[in-house]
Coordinates of all heavy atoms in Angstrom, one line a residue:
S109 N 0.2 -20.7 46.2 CA 0.7 -19.5 47.0 C 2.2 -19.5 47.1 O 2.9 -20.7 46.9 CB 0.1 -19.4 48.3 OG 0.7 -20.4 49.2
P110 N 2.9 -18.5 47.5 CA 4.3 -18.5 47.9 C 4.4 -19.4 49.1 O 3.4 -19.6 49.8 CB 4.7 -17.1 48.2 CG 3.7 -16.2 47.4 CD 2.4 -17.0 47.5
A111 N 5.6 -19.8 49.4 CA 5.8 -20.6 50.6 C 5.5 -19.7 51.9 O 5.9 -18.5 52.0 CB 7.3 -21.1 50.7
L112 N 4.8 -20.3 52.8 CA 4.4 -19.6 54.0 C 5.6 -19.3 54.9 O 6.4 -20.2 55.1 CB 3.4 -20.4 54.8 CG 2.0 -20.7 54.1 CD1 1.2 -21.6 54.9 CD2 1.3 -19.3 53.8
T113 N 5.7 -18.2 55.4 CA 6.8 -17.8 56.3 C 6.5 -18.1 57.8 O 7.3 -18.1 58.7 CB 7.1 -16.3 56.2 OG1 5.9 -15.5 56.6 CG2 7.6 -16.0 54.9
A114 N 5.2 -18.4 58.1 CA 4.8 -18.8 59.4 C 3.5 -19.7 59.3 O 2.9 -19.8 58.2 CB 4.3 -17.6 60.2
P115 N 3.2 -20.5 60.3 CA 2.0 -21.5 60.3 C 0.8 -20.6 60.0 O 0.7 -19.4 60.5 CB 2.1 -22.1 61.6 CG 3.5 -22.0 62.1 CD 4.0 -20.7 61.6
L116 N -0.1 -21.2 59.4 CA -1.4 -20.5 59.0 C -2.6 -21.4 59.6 O -2.8 -22.5 59.1 CB -1.6 -20.3 57.5 CG -2.7 -19.5 57.0 CD1 -2.3 -18.0 57.4 CD2 -2.9 -19.6 55.5
H117 N -3.2 -20.9 60.6 CA -4.3 -21.7 61.2 C -5.6 -21.3 60.6 O -6.1 -20.2 60.8 CB -4.3 -21.3 62.8 CG -5.3 -22.0 63.6 ND1 -5.5 -21.9 64.9 CD2 -6.3 -22.8 63.2 CE1 -6.5 -22.6 65.3 NE2 -7.0 -23.2 64.3
V118 N -6.2 -22.2 59.8 CA -7.4 -22.0 59.1 C -8.5 -22.6 59.8 O -8.4 -23.8 60.1 CB -7.3 -22.4 57.6 CG1 -8.5 -22.3 56.9 CG2 -6.1 -21.7 56.9
C119 N -9.6 -21.9 60.0 CA -10.8 -22.5 60.6 C -12.1 -21.8 60.2 O -12.3 -20.6 60.5 CB -10.7 -22.5 62.1 SG -12.0 -23.5 62.9
G120 N -13.0 -22.6 59.5 CA -14.3 -22.0 59.0 C -14.6 -22.4 57.7 O -13.8 -23.1 57.0
P121 N -15.7 -21.9 57.2 CA -16.1 -22.1 55.7 C -15.2 -21.3 54.8 O -14.7 -20.3 55.1 CB -17.6 -21.7 55.7 CG -17.7 -20.7 56.7 CD -16.7 -21.0 57.8
I122 N -15.1 -21.8 53.6 CA -14.1 -21.2 52.6 C -14.9 -20.9 51.3 O -15.9 -21.7 51.0 CB -12.9 -22.1 52.3 CG1 -12.1 -22.3 53.5 CG2 -12.1 -21.5 51.1 CD1 -11.1 -23.4 53.4
K123 N -14.7 -19.8 50.6 CA -15.4 -19.5 49.4 C -14.4 -19.2 48.3 O -13.4 -18.5 48.5 CB -16.4 -18.3 49.6 CG -17.2 -18.0 48.4 CD -18.2 -17.0 48.6 CE -17.7 -15.6 48.7 NZ -18.7 -14.5 48.7
L124 N -14.7 -19.7 47.0 CA -14.0 -19.3 45.9 C -14.9 -18.5 45.0 O -16.0 -18.9 44.6 CB -13.5 -20.5 45.1 CG -12.9 -20.3 43.7 CD1 -11.6 -19.5 43.8 CD2 -12.6 -21.6 43.0
V125 N -14.5 -17.2 44.7 CA -15.2 -16.4 43.7 C -14.4 -16.7 42.3 O -13.3 -16.4 42.3 CB -15.2 -14.9 44.1 CG1 -15.8 -14.1 42.9 CG2 -16.1 -14.8 45.3
L126 N -15.1 -17.2 41.4 CA -14.5 -17.6 40.2 C -15.3 -17.0 38.9 O -16.4 -17.2 38.7 CB -14.4 -19.2 40.0 CG -13.7 -19.7 38.8 CD1 -12.2 -19.4 38.9 CD2 -14.0 -21.2 38.7
Y127 N -14.5 -16.2 38.2 CA -15.0 -15.7 36.9 C -14.7 -16.7 35.8 O -13.5 -16.9 35.6 CB -14.4 -14.3 36.6 CG -15.0 -13.3 37.6 CD1 -14.3 -13.0 38.8 CD2 -16.1 -12.4 37.2 CE1 -14.8 -12.0 39.7 CE2 -16.5 -11.5 38.1 CZ -15.9 -11.3 39.3 OH -16.3 -10.3 40.1
A128 N -15.7 -17.2 35.2 CA -15.4 -18.2 34.1 C -16.4 -18.2 33.0 O -17.4 -17.7 33.1 CB -15.5 -19.6 34.8
A129 N -15.9 -18.7 31.8 CA -16.8 -18.9 30.6 C -16.5 -20.3 30.1 O -15.4 -20.8 30.3 CB -16.4 -17.8 29.6
S130 N -17.6 -20.8 29.5 CA -17.4 -22.1 28.9 C -17.9 -22.1 27.5 O -18.7 -21.4 27.0 CB -18.3 -23.1 29.7 OG -18.2 -24.4 29.2
S131 N -17.4 -23.0 26.7 CA -17.8 -23.2 25.3 C -19.2 -23.8 25.2 O -19.8 -23.8 24.1 CB -16.7 -24.1 24.6 OG -16.7 -25.4 25.1
G132 N -19.7 -24.4 26.3 CA -21.0 -25.1 26.2 C -22.0 -24.4 27.1 O -21.8 -23.3 27.6
T133 N -23.1 -25.0 27.2 CA -24.2 -24.4 28.0 C -24.2 -24.9 29.4 O -25.1 -24.5 30.2 CB -25.6 -24.8 27.4 OG1 -25.7 -26.2 27.4 CG2 -25.7 -24.2 26.0
D134 N -23.3 -25.7 29.9 CA -23.1 -26.1 31.2 C -21.7 -26.6 31.4 O -21.0 -27.1 30.5 CB -24.2 -27.2 31.6 CG -24.5 -27.2 33.1 OD1 -23.9 -26.4 33.8 OD2 -25.4 -27.9 33.5
T135 N -21.3 -26.6 32.6 CA -19.9 -27.2 33.0 C -19.9 -27.4 34.5 O -20.7 -27.0 35.2 CB -18.8 -26.2 32.5 OG1 -17.5 -26.9 32.6 CG2 -18.7 -24.9 33.4
D136 N -18.9 -28.2 34.9 CA -18.7 -28.5 36.3 C -17.4 -27.9 36.8 O -16.4 -27.8 36.1 CB -18.6 -30.0 36.5 CG -20.0 -30.7 36.2 OD1 -21.1 -29.9 36.2 OD2 -20.0 -31.9 35.9
F137 N -17.4 -27.5 38.1 CA -16.2 -27.1 38.8 C -16.0 -28.0 40.0 O -16.9 -28.0 40.9 CB -16.3 -25.6 39.2 CG -16.7 -24.7 38.1 CD1 -18.0 -24.1 38.1 CD2 -15.8 -24.4 37.2 CE1 -18.4 -23.3 37.1 CE2 -16.2 -23.4 36.1 CZ -17.5 -22.9 36.1
I138 N -15.0 -28.7 40.0 CA -14.5 -29.5 41.2 C -13.2 -28.9 41.6 O -12.2 -29.0 41.0 CB -14.5 -31.0 40.9 CG1 -15.8 -31.6 40.5 CG2 -13.9 -31.7 42.1 CD1 -15.9 -33.0 40.2
V139 N -13.2 -28.3 42.9 CA -12.1 -27.6 43.4 C -11.5 -28.3 44.7 O -12.4 -28.8 45.5 CB -12.4 -26.1 43.6 CG1 -12.9 -25.5 42.3 CG2 -13.4 -25.9 44.7
K140 N -10.3 -28.2 44.8 CA -9.6 -28.7 46.1 C -8.6 -27.7 46.6 O -7.9 -27.0 45.8 CB -9.0 -30.1 45.7 CG -9.9 -31.1 45.2 CD -9.1 -32.4 44.8 CE -10.0 -33.4 44.2 NZ -9.3 -34.6 43.7
L141 N -8.6 -27.6 47.9 CA -7.6 -26.8 48.5 C -6.7 -27.8 49.2 O -7.0 -28.6 50.0 CB -8.2 -25.9 49.6 CG -7.2 -25.1 50.4 CD1 -6.4 -24.1 49.5 CD2 -7.9 -24.3 51.5
S142 N -5.4 -27.7 48.8 CA -4.3 -28.6 49.3 C -3.2 -28.0 49.9 O -3.0 -26.7 49.7 CB -3.8 -29.5 48.1 OG -4.7 -30.4 47.5
E143 N -2.5 -28.6 50.9 CA -1.2 -28.1 51.4 C -0.1 -28.8 50.6 O -0.1 -30.0 50.6 CB -1.1 -28.5 52.9 CG 0.2 -28.0 53.5 CD 0.4 -28.2 54.9 OE1 -0.6 -28.7 55.5 OE2 1.3 -27.7 55.5

């Protein structure tokens, strides 16, 4: 993201909606949210 202009208080479950395609019949997604 762009630099935050104010503190951001996050609390609760988070969801990523990801549209993806793979060259194989299966794949893994390991995602991290960092500051």
Side-chain angles (χ1 to χ4, degrees):
S109 76
L112 297 172
T113 58
L116 193 69
H117 180 177
V118 174
C119 185
I122 298 168
K123 183 174 79 170
L124 172 64
V125 172
L126 186 65
Y127 290 85
S130 179
S131 61
T133 58
D134 207 356
T135 190
D136 292 341
F137 308 108
I138 296 180
V139 303
K140 301 176 185 179
L141 177 62
S142 295
E143 179 174 6

